[in-house]
Amino acid sequence: MRKARLTQKEIARLAGVSQATVSLVVNRIPEGLGRIPQATRERVEKIIRETGYVADPIARKMVKGQNRILGVFTYEPVFPSAQTDFFAPFLLGIEEAAQELGYDLLLLTGAAGQSKKIFGGNVRLRLADGCLILGRQFDRAELGQLVAGDYPFVAIGRRDDAGGPVPYVGADYVGAVRSLVEQAFALGHERLAYVGPSDGVESSDDRWAGFISAVGDDNRLVHLPEVTQPAEILLKSILDSGATVAFFLELADAVRVEALARAWDLRVPDDLSIVVLGNHLRVETSARQFTSFSIPREEMGRVATRMLVQQIEQLAGREQLLLPCPPISGTTLSGVPHD
């Protein structure tokens, strides 16, 4: 015969206290625990240990006001085809971890026809126990509001402080780019071109920081920030500068320059090496695999979800973590060409 579940009422009777006192001890409610004498709390905890009492998980969630729901908010649309390759791996990782941890997901979209805001009137933030925020650009004012409050949240992607540290799980772009530059130097390259802006969002800043920290000497650097120029101008600028390897911030720019190089009968990497600083989007191109590094998007989603749940369940505070970016050898980086 199945033994009946032990109740808080029976624990209260055994400890000689009220059921309300047992509830405060079991659920670790700070404002209530402060009013219970230490000796009383220890007596209740002793009875709990001796009887093997386990709190009803459903009731415990209700006491703590938890819905077992994680919000997911993006400032950019998630589903249009132009963005699919960027967001899909993050969402896969988030879904996998949420399922493992017993949480549901709520996609927070905001009001139609308006700019997306975390604190917009139609965003039902409090339906979720905490929120994961992802996207290329964040609203700094809203980040500051989140940092100043007590609502659990984690940003996916490194973010600068916003009136205090922003909890995030990001990719170590600085280390990944530095490693690629050091690899180019080891192969004999002495003059390097960087194709893309040196500032902007944090992910671009980190790539530039990694590049500069490895190059050191400005005389070895050619910077071409105006990537909106035709491929002909970009490729000619690289060749005229004397650079033997070009580092591209965006895969799409590398694709069009590499295609033009082939049209000009230039061999990549024999005549010009090309490195891509992490693939942002899948671009249909030739069978060539660019030398690059992998951005651990799925793992970032998984780790960020676990970090958020730890915040919600008060197992950890707000943390910041960078994940390594595994190198992709590719076929576009080789030794310096010789005449």
Side-chain angles (χ1 to χ4, degrees):
M1 186 174 178
R2 188 175 179 180
K3 186 177 179 180
R5 184 187 183 92
L6 196 65
T7 66
Q8 288 189 10
K9 183 176 181 180
E10 291 171 276
I11 296 295
R13 179 181 59 79
L14 292 170
V17 298
S18 69
Q19 186 174 339
T21 296
V22 174
S23 178
L24 291 173
V25 173
V26 167
N27 292 294
R28 304 285 180 187
I29 300 175
E31 56 270 27
L33 285 175
R35 300 195 299 268
I36 302 174
Q38 179 69 22
T40 301
R41 185 161 68 247
E42 290 176 354
R43 187 165 70 252
V44 173
E45 290 172 344
K46 181 173 182 290
I47 295 296
I48 290 172
R49 288 194 301 272
E50 290 175 347
T51 59
Y53 171 77
V54 178
D56 180 350
I58 302 299
R60 191 166 185 177
K61 289 173 206 168
M62 292 176 66
V63 169
K64 290 189 173 183
Q66 292 181 6
N67 297 318
R68 305 291 289 188
I69 294 174
L70 305 179
V72 179
F73 180 89
T74 69
Y75 282 103
E76 299 119 302
V78 175
F79 296 113
S81 58
Q83 301 275 18
T84 299
D85 288 336
F86 181 80
F87 284 112
F90 292 122
L91 297 174
L92 286 171
I94 291 169
E95 181 184 30
E96 181 181 288
Q99 188 172 6
E100 288 175 357
L101 295 165
Y103 280 77
D104 289 318
L105 295 175
L106 174 64
L107 180 62
L108 301 167
T109 59
Q114 299 179 10
S115 59
K116 297 181 74 172
K117 295 286 186 182
I118 296 174
F119 295 103
N122 289 344
V123 177
R124 298 163 180 84
L125 194 64
R126 287 290 176 179
L127 288 178
D129 301 322
C131 189
L132 296 159
I133 308 170
L134 63 158
R136 289 184 175 85
Q137 293 182 300
F138 282 32
D139 183 304
R140 298 291 301 169
E142 291 201 321
L143 263 185
Q145 192 171 345
L146 283 167
V147 168
D150 60 359
Y151 184 73
F153 80 101
V154 174
I156 297 182
R158 187 191 71 77
R159 297 296 153 185
D160 293 328
D161 287 358
V166 176
Y168 63 70
V169 175
D172 183 11
Y173 296 130
V174 174
V177 174
R178 185 190 299 118
S179 179
L180 285 172
V181 174
E182 290 171 350
Q183 183 181 348
F185 283 147
L187 289 169
H189 294 275
E190 295 184 356
R191 193 156 175 80
L192 295 72
Y194 186 97
V195 184
S198 60
D199 57 10
V201 297
E202 288 90 343
S203 58
S204 296
D205 293 346
D206 287 352
R207 287 171 168 87
W208 176 252
F211 188 80
I212 288 298
S213 69
V215 172
D217 184 355
D218 287 345
N219 292 326
R220 307 172 82 175
L221 164 67
V222 179
H223 186 203
L224 303 172
E226 299 298 329
V227 293
T228 56
Q229 298 179 97
E232 292 84 354
I233 294 178
L234 283 177
L235 181 53
K236 188 174 186 303
S237 297
I238 293 168
L239 297 174
D240 289 347
S241 72
T244 54
V245 55
F247 290 75
F248 285 84
L249 184 63
E250 295 287 349
L251 172 61
D253 296 323
V255 168
R256 61 194 182 101
V257 168
E258 189 270 342
L260 180 62
R262 283 188 283 110
W264 286 3
D265 292 327
L266 292 171
R267 298 166 301 167
V268 175
D270 294 337
D271 297 316
L272 175 68
S273 288
I274 292 178
V275 176
V276 176
L277 302 181
N279 294 354
H280 296 281
L281 298 171
R282 185 186 305 129
V283 178
E284 294 303 324
T285 180
S286 65
R288 183 180 295 282
Q289 173 67 67
F290 287 96
T291 298
S292 183
F293 55 80
S294 175
I295 302 171
R297 292 189 178 92
E298 284 192 36
E299 185 63 12
M300 287 166 67
R302 282 190 288 269
V303 173
T305 303
R306 295 178 190 128
M307 186 182 290
L308 178 61
V309 169
Q310 287 192 318
Q311 268 193 60
I312 292 168
E313 298 183 355
Q314 298 181 0
L315 299 175
R318 292 177 172 179
E319 300 176 284
Q320 297 178 331
L321 180 64
L322 293 177
L323 303 182
C325 299
I328 298 174
S329 298
T331 61
T332 58
L333 175 63
S334 69
V336 177
H338 297 286
D339 295 333

